[in-house]
Amino acid sequence: MSVFDDPGLFGRLWAAGYDDGGTNPDPTPAVDFLADLADGGPVLELAIGTGRVALPLAERGLAVHGVEASEEMLAQLRAKPGGDRIPVVVADMADVPVVGEFRLAYLVFNTLFNLVDAERQADCFRNVARVLSPGGAFVIETFVPDPRSFDSDEQVQVRAVTEDSATIRLHRYDRPAQRFIRQTITFDADGVHLKPFAMRYAWPHQIDEMAQQAGLRLTERYADWHRRPFTADSPSHISVYRAE
């Protein structure tokens, strides 16, 4: 199945080492921010993954629910202390197949962009709006696209080189569609290993439009989880949308 058609592909390929990766940020600032907004819960995490955010929120006494497309990611969550007590629906996060009302829903670490077409991103907002309680919050964290980072249609990066293996990463951009496909390729004694990945990126004003069309209004925007001011030079944003 194509990387553009399989919502569980990322989890199947990356779940085993997901929590060990050096690129995963410390979730504590996100947990602090979300706990402040939760208003006692219940809360919903889309693409709950291995529970890096959900479990600390549950430890603070909040009733956390999740949606996750990957059985492999869910297995990592279930293996952690308390992971078996969080109800999770295995499904495409854009469908939000849960029964609300939730005081808070959130989608962090650029995961909105894992929905690789604009229609599915819009579906996600509409379905979240359906399960939020009046005044409930939907929190999004994404990077702000920088055209300088994809000024060529194709890119090759060397990720790691040892005596036993080499890993390269290739990107190919479709700028009119605001999409890219990434392939991480490792060569070692066991052969060639492929880990494809795709995203459909969007600028903050485009995300605001999707939220508005779903009946959600932007109430706060920050540059990071520490609530630093968002500016034209901010590489990422934390946006809070409220149900009417």
Side-chain angles (χ1 to χ4, degrees):
M1 182 176 288
S2 166
V3 67
F4 294 111
D5 302 320
D6 185 354
L9 180 62
F10 176 83
R12 287 200 297 279
L13 293 176
W14 294 93
Y18 185 73
D19 288 335
D20 301 327
T23 59
N24 286 327
D26 176 8
T28 304
V31 172
D32 292 341
F33 184 103
L34 294 167
D36 285 345
L37 284 182
D39 193 27
V43 304
L44 173 67
E45 179 170 2
L46 302 180
I48 195 171
T50 63
R52 293 171 57 244
V53 173
L55 286 169
L57 283 175
E59 289 170 359
R60 299 189 186 196
L62 293 168
V64 181
H65 301 247
V67 177
E68 173 56 52
S70 165
E71 294 276 8
E72 292 79 3
M73 281 287 194
L74 184 55
Q76 296 290 320
L77 168 63
R78 295 294 187 227
K80 296 179 180 180
D84 59 341
R85 295 194 293 273
I86 295 179
V88 179
V89 177
V90 179
D92 187 337
M93 64 182 177
D95 295 328
V96 194
V98 295
V99 177
E101 300 177 334
F102 294 94
R103 291 299 301 163
L104 170 70
Y106 59 94
L107 188 52
V108 297
F109 305 141
N110 304 315
T111 312
L112 173 66
F113 296 166
N114 290 4
L115 298 169
V116 293
D117 62 62
E119 291 78 11
R120 291 302 279 160
Q121 291 177 0
D123 288 343
C124 183
F125 274 89
R126 284 193 294 269
N127 287 319
V128 166
R130 172 178 51 81
V131 300
L132 284 179
S133 62
F138 185 28
V139 178
I140 298 289
E141 177 196 16
T142 74
F143 64 83
V144 178
D146 181 356
R148 293 171 297 181
S149 68
F150 46 87
D151 56 1
S152 63
D153 292 333
E154 300 177 7
Q155 297 179 5
V156 180
Q157 303 167 342
V158 177
R159 302 293 294 180
V161 178
T162 71
E163 294 180 356
D164 302 313
S165 69
T167 299
I168 62 173
R169 179 168 288 178
L170 301 91
H171 290 78
R172 184 161 192 174
Y173 288 89
D174 180 349
R175 282 174 287 183
Q178 297 180 201
R179 296 204 301 192
F180 66 81
I181 185 167
R182 184 182 78 196
Q183 183 66 265
T184 302
I185 308 171
T186 298
F187 306 88
D188 60 22
D190 295 323
V192 179
H193 311 276
L194 305 178
K195 287 187 175 181
F197 177 65
M199 275 189 166
R200 190 265 174 182
Y201 52 88
W203 278 265
H205 73 275
Q206 294 176 317
I207 299 173
D208 293 347
E209 290 171 3
M210 287 188 283
Q212 184 176 17
Q213 291 168 1
L216 303 173
R217 58 186 175 86
L218 177 70
T219 58
E220 303 169 59
R221 172 163 287 147
Y222 305 101
D224 57 32
W225 295 111
H226 300 285
R227 291 184 167 86
R228 295 186 179 97
F230 178 79
T231 71
D233 297 322
S234 297
S236 62
H237 66 104
I238 313 298
S239 298
V240 181
Y241 301 94
R242 295 276 183 180
E244 300 294 343

